[in-house]
Amino acid sequence: MDKQTTKTETLEFLNKHVVAVLATSSKTNAPHAAALYYIVDNDFNFFFTTKSNTQKFSNISENNKVALVVVDHSLPKSVEVEGTVDLALDDVKQR
């Protein structure tokens, strides 16, 4: 999005889409990117789920700094963000 795009326009764009690519890196700085479904709140906090046996979970556990991009190739427009992940673990055991 360009610098003239408002917060409202950016949130509308993000809420019209459901898939993002999350980039993480391991403790040895090996990069990893994974597509995921997300939701976003009005403060630009992104929420997603993942299983604990995935590469992104392992990477986030070791290094919580990430980048995320949502793209619409038909416009073309994208939103790119950088930040940190706070893990919220549940007590459900995998079967």
Side-chain angles (χ1 to χ4, degrees):
M1 299 272 165
D2 63 45
K3 294 185 187 222
Q4 300 301 316
T5 304
T6 67
K7 177 180 177 180
T8 300
E9 291 169 325
T10 303
L11 284 170
E12 286 174 2
F13 176 87
L14 291 171
N15 285 312
K16 286 180 183 175
H17 298 83
V18 296
V19 176
V21 175
L22 181 74
T24 63
S25 71
S26 69
K27 64 182 173 185
T28 62
N29 293 321
H32 177 74
L36 51 78
Y37 293 98
Y38 73 90
I39 59 172
V40 62
D41 68 16
N42 290 337
D43 294 319
F44 295 99
N45 294 301
F46 287 78
F47 300 89
F48 62 91
T49 61
T50 189
K51 294 182 178 181
S52 61
N53 63 347
T54 64
Q55 185 64 51
K56 67 180 161 285
F57 182 88
S58 176
N59 288 355
I60 290 167
S61 296
E62 297 168 348
N63 176 1
N64 69 342
K65 294 178 182 156
V66 300
L68 181 137
V69 63
V70 178
V71 64
D72 188 328
H73 68 280
S74 67
L75 296 178
K77 285 188 177 182
S78 65
V79 172
E80 301 169 14
V81 297
E82 296 176 352
T84 57
V85 173
D86 294 323
L87 292 174
L89 304 174
D90 65 24
D91 291 333
V92 177
K93 297 196 186 261
Q94 290 183 344
R95 296 177 191 196

